[in-house]
Amino acid sequence: MDTLIDAAALKSRLDDRESGQRTVLLDVRWTLGDPHGHDHYLHGHIPGAVFVDLATELAGPAEPGRGRHPLPPAEQFQECARRWGISDGDAVVAYDDSGNMAAARVWWMLRDAGFGPVQLLDGGLAAWREAGFGLAAGAEQPPAGNVTLSAGAMPAIDAGQAASWSRYGLLLDARAGERYRGEVEPVDPRAGHIPGAVSAPTTGNLQADGRFLGPAELRERFERLGYRSDVPTAVYCGSGVTAAHEIAALEIAGFAAALYPGSFSEWCHDAARDVVTGEAPYGEDVETAAGRSTGSVS
């Protein structure tokens, strides 16, 4: 199944009462610094969509040793998926209102849990509105589903692997360029990036309207950043959320990549791990960069 579905195709699928496969819609509105995703959902969402709370349903409690949004236990995620109404045999479409930066998290997690038919609404809620389709207000309360989920179906790496990844592979940093360079760090205790990582902000995956670039454009982008079929690729971000967006973009390009779930928020909490700053993958003097500290931990 394709990574993306457009608004017209989704509307057609939802209107097809004779389709043998039910589609579950997940609204994953969340952005860093905006805790009001549920309020936005209640004000207006795609009819039938269930709200997914990224902070409590797509992540466990923040821990210095695991990052700000550690992956929840598999049993907990399965319980949430059933509460959203997902059953075995269903299809899932996820969206948000920020270019799928948050929705990609549940896309990756369902894929990792062995659930195959899951897509992102290309352009998110904005594309649905632009197509002239209506919204519903209030909360949706679907009957519980019976989906059975596992874990480990998608490639992932840990901090130990991230430390040596750039020696033989490509490590992409999906955060904004200024955070990669160490010019600003709004939430984590140290500014900069993992030594050897290449800056690849997720915003570069999107067109101005929030839709993903086409496959050819994405292939060109990632090849320019160093992607090669014989070079293993891994992606991290601040807390493992927008890195999933980068993995979706890589998949659209026809490329595979592993996720570092703990990402920089896990990495930088260990003082024994080097953090470097600047434009270059290995940055400036490691000892100088490792001692920098800005912002506060969320």
Side-chain angles (χ1 to χ4, degrees), residues 145-292:
N146 64 11
V147 69
T148 300
L149 301 178
S150 55
M154 294 285 276
I157 67 171
D158 58 22
Q161 291 168 298
S164 59
W165 196 267
S166 58
R167 297 176 193 166
Y168 56 86
L170 174 66
L171 183 61
L172 298 177
D173 184 319
R175 297 173 302 157
E178 59 269 24
R179 293 182 71 189
Y180 170 89
R181 294 188 296 271
E183 296 164 4
V184 62
E185 180 45 63
V187 286
D188 290 319
R190 288 193 284 169
H193 59 269
I194 298 174
V198 174
S199 181
T202 49
T203 51
N205 300 327
L206 299 175
Q207 303 175 57
D209 62 3
R211 291 177 173 86
F212 280 87
L213 297 173
E217 293 170 291
L218 287 170
R219 281 193 294 272
E220 181 182 353
R221 177 185 193 224
F222 290 118
E223 286 172 348
R224 191 169 60 248
L225 290 168
Y227 182 92
R228 299 291 182 273
S229 60
D230 59 343
V231 175
T233 298
V235 186
Y236 75 91
C237 59
S239 63
V241 175
T242 57
H245 188 280
E246 195 103 294
I247 289 174
L250 282 154
E251 181 173 286
I252 294 165
F255 301 152
L259 175 72
Y260 173 21
S263 285
F264 192 72
S265 61
E266 176 188 80
W267 177 273
C268 71
H269 267 90
D270 187 338
R273 299 186 188 123
D274 291 330
V275 171
V276 297
T277 59
E279 294 275 3
Y282 288 95
E284 58 189 29
D285 179 75
V286 171
E287 292 184 4
T288 300
R292 293 187 176 184

Side-chain angles (χ1 to χ4, degrees), residues 43-61:
H43 182 71
H45 56 265
I46 297 176
V50 179
F51 181 72
V52 174
D53 188 281
L54 187 146
T56 62
E57 296 181 303
L58 302 184

